[in-house]
Amino acid sequence: MTVLSLDLELALEHTKSYPGIQITPVIAKNGRFSKERKLLWEGMESNSVKIQEKASSSVPEVELVNESEETFIGCKGSIIRGGGQNRQLLHSFVVPKKASIKIPVQCIQHGRWNPHHSRQFSNRSGDVTSSSLKFSKKSQMETWQNITETATHSGTTSMTEDYTITHDFMFGDHREAQTALSSMTSTGMKLEKKREESRERAQKILQETEPIEGQVGVYIHLISPEDWKKGEVKRKEFMEIFASQELYKKVHKDVLTSFVADAAMLPKDEPKIEIPALEKEQFSRFLQKIQQAPWKDKEKIGSEKRQEIVNSSEVFGESIYDEEEMVHLMCSV
């Protein structure tokens, strides 16, 4: 693992701060050029890639078929809708050419299971779960619990306990937000106000945070919503980077959406969630912790080389390489 050799730096002058979250672009010092890469949703949009339930329907695994001569990047936390129930991708991977592979997933919709009525899945840009789901290794029960707590905290509970209801209300257009609202079971003026404030904050952050020249990722300081629910204020650091600025531009909204989903639910007027100004030394210390963590090779899903940080309760990390090039890296402390 060579995080430090990636030659990264922060664009501190472009840091954006909001209650509970601080967003700083990560750029490649000498620029980084990569062959053109397509994302999973682009393959599904062109009908080159199809995802479906396995013949013997299974919650933790679905089948992906790539009928094209192109490869595609699937990113951890991406949402696939349909099938027997909505799922999220458990890991990032590279879809090989002309191949059928099994991909590991987790359910994000506890109360629906009808594989005989719907077997096909869809995926689109911006469909991604929250950082509290992406940057961790959670069991299925822990994931369901996280979604239930998030929906309760944000007033977006639904009959099927579906994370996409929360997602669509926060980040969808007006029609999608109204459709999500019609599926919610939480009522009351206080909850309605809370929901609207969270949506307004989420939309504002996305609109004000555009990618900059040379950006290959983000460095995030976030007040942990999971600890906040327990009455504790803890700040966490995250980094998510990609092979090139061209690839990052495609995923910019997806990446931000994941973090903003957690930040938008925090109280906006609470002094304890303000995050102090960022210093370069903090990023250096963060990179050192990631570099020194116990990275291990893991079994591949597609044609990628995969690594994960193992045996650490404090540091999270996953990365994939296509041949010798780092394609996607996620880590947190």
Side-chain angles (χ1 to χ4, degrees), residues 34 40 46 50 118 121 124 151 198 213 230 238 250 293:
S34 170
L40 180 61
S46 65
K50 293 180 174 61
S118 176
F121 291 91
R124 61 183 182 179
S198 295
E213 183 66 27
K230 301 173 186 175
F238 301 83
K250 294 184 183 182

Side-chain angles (χ1 to χ4, degrees), residues 114-146:
N114 63 338
H116 301 296
H117 293 93
S118 176
R119 304 196 68 86
Q120 299 294 322
F121 291 91
S122 65
N123 177 236
R124 61 183 182 179
S125 176
D127 263 2
V128 64
T129 54
S130 66
S131 59
S132 57
L133 290 173
K134 279 178 59 179
F135 284 79
S136 62
K137 297 175 182 177
K138 284 182 166 60
S139 68
Q140 180 64 78
M141 290 301 296
E142 288 171 331
T143 292
W144 279 334
Q145 182 180 352
N146 178 282

Side-chain angles (χ1 to χ4, degrees), residues 188-204:
M189 291 187 64
K190 187 175 181 180
L191 278 178
E192 289 174 12
K193 182 181 179 182
K194 169 66 175 173
R195 284 196 294 254
E196 288 299 331
E197 287 179 347
S198 295
R199 175 175 165 80
E200 287 174 8
R201 289 177 63 197
Q203 295 285 326
K204 174 182 171 63

Side-chain angles (χ1 to χ4, degrees), residues 149-151 153-154 156 166 170 194 198 201 225 228-229 260-268:
E149 290 175 351
T150 296
H153 193 66
S154 62
T156 56
T166 303
M170 291 275 198
K194 169 66 175 173
S198 295
R201 289 177 63 197
W228 179 266
K229 293 166 191 173
V260 173
D262 282 325
M265 293 182 295
L266 295 168
K268 63 178 182 179

Side-chain angles (χ1 to χ4, degrees), residues 45-109:
E45 199 173 67
S46 65
N47 291 318
S48 299
V49 175
K50 293 180 174 61
I51 299 179
Q52 60 196 12
E53 298 284 0
K54 293 169 61 178
S56 54
S57 298
S58 164
V59 171
E61 196 175 58
V62 294
E63 182 178 19
L64 182 151
V65 179
N66 180 13
E67 299 175 342
S68 77
E69 293 289 346
E70 295 182 291
T71 62
F72 300 91
I73 308 299
C75 294
K76 178 178 170 63
S78 294
I79 294 170
I80 55 173
R81 303 187 188 222
Q85 55 197 184
N86 297 333
R87 318 283 227 289
Q88 69 165 339
L89 303 186
L90 264 187
H91 303 286
S92 296
F93 54 89
V94 177
V95 180
K97 305 174 182 178
K98 288 283 186 180
S100 173
I101 60 175
K102 303 297 187 294
I103 56 174
V105 292
Q106 259 187 352
C107 169
I108 56 169
Q109 184 182 21

Side-chain angles (χ1 to χ4, degrees), residues 1-3 74-77 89-93 104-105 133-138 289-302 304-321 326 328-332:
M1 181 60 197
T2 55
V3 174
C75 294
K76 178 178 170 63
L89 303 186
L90 264 187
H91 303 286
S92 296
F93 54 89
V105 292
L133 290 173
K134 279 178 59 179
F135 284 79
S136 62
K137 297 175 182 177
K138 284 182 166 60
K289 288 179 183 177
I290 299 302
Q291 177 71 31
Q292 295 167 4
W295 288 89
K296 298 294 182 183
D297 290 339
K298 304 295 285 188
E299 184 179 355
K300 67 181 183 179
I301 297 168
E304 77 288 341
K305 176 184 177 182
R306 288 204 319 115
Q307 292 185 323
E308 294 182 17
I309 292 175
V310 299
N311 302 324
S312 175
S313 60
E314 296 181 356
V315 185
F316 169 85
E318 290 197 16
S319 66
I320 60 168
Y321 289 73
M326 188 282 296
H328 185 207
L329 168 70
M330 299 170 56
C331 46
S332 64

